[in-house]
Amino acid sequence: AMQPKFFCDVIRLIYRSKNEEKHKEFDEDKKAIASNAWRLLHEWKKPPGLQEDGSFSAEEFKNWLQRVKQQCRKSGHIEVAMIKVGEVLLYCPADPQGLWIMQAVANALNARDADKMRSGFRTEVFNSRGVYSIDPSGKSERELATQWRQKADDLENEGFARFATTLRELAESYDREAKRIIAEHKAETQSEQRDTNTNNDDNDE
């Protein structure tokens, strides 16, 4: 989060460069290093720009992102790097002016060339939910859809249309998930009811 070069080094340890024509074989030591690097990225939750006291430096964030883009374009890792950056940006604090995410971060995620970052952000939203119990009514999914649709509206009002579109698509996916859960529960209930009726008919005979 504070050393863009180190972040780029970690990315290169894990992912193959787009500039490489052939896949390189790694020995056991390099595989172990890559595994540790992957674990480090997987557990990374402190976004660039976030200070020890909880404040956020927009300037530091912008400089960090610019340097990462420069280095990863050169090394052939820009796409996967932007996905990982998008993931960690989910953990940015709210903006002091009232937006639910820092304006500088929203601006970066809204950029024309930030498709991969937006994709990573959306993926992390799903993954951050962790293990959860399924409510047959789909209530949890509907609440998440409402929550992210409101966040999308807030972004739209601030002029971040591309980022807002990604979050509306996210909300729609939760709506679809709610409908799927309800339909599956309904089908399961009907199946159980048919089995019960069949057993009752057999007992009557």
Side-chain angles (χ1 to χ4, degrees):
M2 301 183 68
Q3 301 179 38
K5 183 181 181 301
F6 179 66
F7 169 77
C8 296
D9 289 342
V10 171
I11 289 290
R12 287 194 292 270
L13 284 171
I14 305 171
Y15 301 101
R16 183 167 64 92
S17 169
K18 293 285 187 178
N19 299 335
E20 295 177 5
E21 295 183 0
K22 296 182 180 179
H23 181 68
K24 293 181 179 180
E25 294 295 330
F26 293 101
D27 58 30
E28 291 304 314
D29 287 342
K30 289 184 178 179
K31 288 181 180 179
I33 292 173
S35 178
N36 288 334
W38 181 90
R39 189 177 302 111
L40 177 63
L41 269 189
H42 182 70
E43 296 175 357
W44 181 35
K45 297 294 185 290
K46 180 183 177 181
L50 186 65
Q51 308 299 300
E52 293 298 329
D53 62 0
S55 63
F56 189 87
S57 170
E59 192 64 27
E60 186 175 306
F61 165 72
K62 292 175 185 177
N63 291 338
W64 185 96
L65 183 59
Q66 182 180 15
R67 291 176 63 185
V68 165
K69 286 182 176 180
Q70 290 173 344
Q71 293 182 45
C72 288
R73 282 196 184 100
K74 185 176 180 179
S75 69
H77 296 86
I78 185 64
E79 293 183 358
V80 67
M82 291 301 98
I83 289 173
K84 301 309 294 184
V85 171
E87 291 177 2
V88 79
L89 293 184
L90 174 64
Y91 303 99
C92 284
D95 194 277
Q97 300 301 317
L99 187 63
W100 59 271
I101 189 171
M102 294 298 300
Q103 290 268 353
V105 174
N107 189 58
L109 283 162
N110 191 65
R112 188 182 299 275
D113 63 350
D115 287 345
K116 295 300 181 182
M117 286 174 59
R118 289 191 289 270
S119 175
F121 187 96
R122 175 176 173 169
T123 297
E124 187 63 13
V125 170
F126 282 115
N127 293 342
S128 65
R129 191 178 182 188
V131 179
Y132 60 93
S133 57
I134 296 178
D135 183 343
S137 70
K139 178 182 177 182
S140 297
E141 285 68 27
R142 290 199 302 271
E143 289 177 346
L144 286 169
T146 299
Q147 171 188 328
W148 287 104
R149 193 168 284 113
Q150 180 59 58
K151 289 179 182 292
D153 290 343
D154 294 341
L155 290 172
E156 186 82 51
N157 292 335
E158 294 293 331
F160 303 119
R162 297 186 189 91
F163 191 15
T165 296
T166 295
L167 296 193
R168 288 199 179 95
E169 292 171 352
L170 174 64
E172 289 170 2
S173 69
Y174 280 123
D175 282 332
R176 291 192 297 271
E177 181 68 7
K179 291 178 180 178
R180 183 191 64 80
I181 290 173
I182 293 170
E184 288 185 355
H185 178 67
K186 181 178 180 180
E188 182 178 335
T189 301
Q190 291 175 341
S191 177
E192 291 175 352
Q193 185 61 49
R194 286 194 297 270
D195 291 342
T196 299
N197 293 340
T198 300
N199 291 333
N200 289 337
D201 291 342
D202 291 342
N203 291 334
D204 291 342
E205 293 177 359

